[in-house]
Amino acid sequence: MSFGPEALQARGVGHAARPGEVDYRLVRKHTLDEFRRGRLSKLDVCDAHPELLRAARNVGEARSEDCPICDEASLTLVSFAFGARLPAHGRCITTRQELTQLGRRIQEATCYVVEVCTACAWNQLVRSFRLGSRTS
C-alpha cells in the first residue's frame, strides 16, 4: 500500500484523475440508496433546472449508461466552468477544445460535470476539477 499522491487517484473511472479533482460517486450512491429505500421521492431527485435540461439536450455528451431512476433514457454529461472573467452564471462547455482553451488560461476556474436524464430530470454532480493556473 502506498501513501503517496498516486494513492489518491481515482480507480476504475476510465479517465486520468486531474490535480484537485473531486469525485462525487459516494454522494451519488447515497442519494440513489435513499431513493430506493423510499426516504427520497422522485420529486426530490428529479429536479433538474430547465437550463440544465436544455444544455443536456443541445450540447451534452451522451453516455451509454441508463438513468438510475427511470431506466428509460441514457444519461448525458454537461460541463460548466466558473471563475474569473467568466459569466456569473458560469459558462457551459460545449467542446473538448473549449475545455482545453480554458485550461490554458492564467486565471483559475473550476469545472463541474453533471449527469442529467432529459426524460425524468434526474441530475447529479459527477466530478469537479480545476482549470488554468495561477502563475502570475
Side-chain angles (χ1 to χ4, degrees):
M1 171 165 224
S2 169
F3 293 101
E6 65 280 353
L8 299 176
Q9 292 180 348
R11 298 194 192 312
V13 174
H15 69 277
R18 297 177 176 154
E21 182 171 345
V22 178
D23 189 325
Y24 293 91
R25 282 183 287 178
L26 291 176
V27 175
R28 180 185 193 271
K29 181 184 177 330
H30 176 72
T31 301
L32 290 173
D33 288 347
E34 293 296 295
F35 172 74
R36 290 179 183 129
R37 289 182 184 125
R39 295 180 185 156
L40 293 174
S41 72
K42 190 171 180 179
L43 293 174
D44 292 326
V45 296
C46 296
D47 60 351
H49 190 277
E51 284 297 313
L52 180 59
L53 290 170
R54 184 184 64 76
R57 284 185 196 106
N58 296 311
V59 297
E61 179 184 329
R63 295 184 64 190
S64 60
E65 183 181 350
D66 286 339
C67 175
I69 303 299
C70 71
D71 289 326
E72 292 179 18
S74 296
L75 294 173
T76 303
L77 294 179
V78 180
S79 300
F80 292 95
F82 295 88
R85 297 189 182 174
L86 293 175
H89 54 78
R91 180 170 166 186
C92 185
I93 307 300
T94 58
T95 64
R96 293 205 184 272
Q97 180 183 3
E98 189 176 3
L99 186 64
T100 302
Q101 289 173 346
L102 283 173
R104 290 181 183 146
R105 293 174 2 137
I106 293 175
Q107 297 87 9
E108 196 170 80
T110 303
C111 184
Y112 297 91
V113 181
V114 181
E115 67 180 11
V116 182
C117 173
T118 56
C120 72
W122 155 263
N123 66 105
Q124 179 67 45
L125 182 62
V126 175
R127 67 182 177 273
S128 65
F129 54 92
R130 292 182 312 209
L131 294 171
S133 62
R134 289 198 147 184
T135 57
S136 64

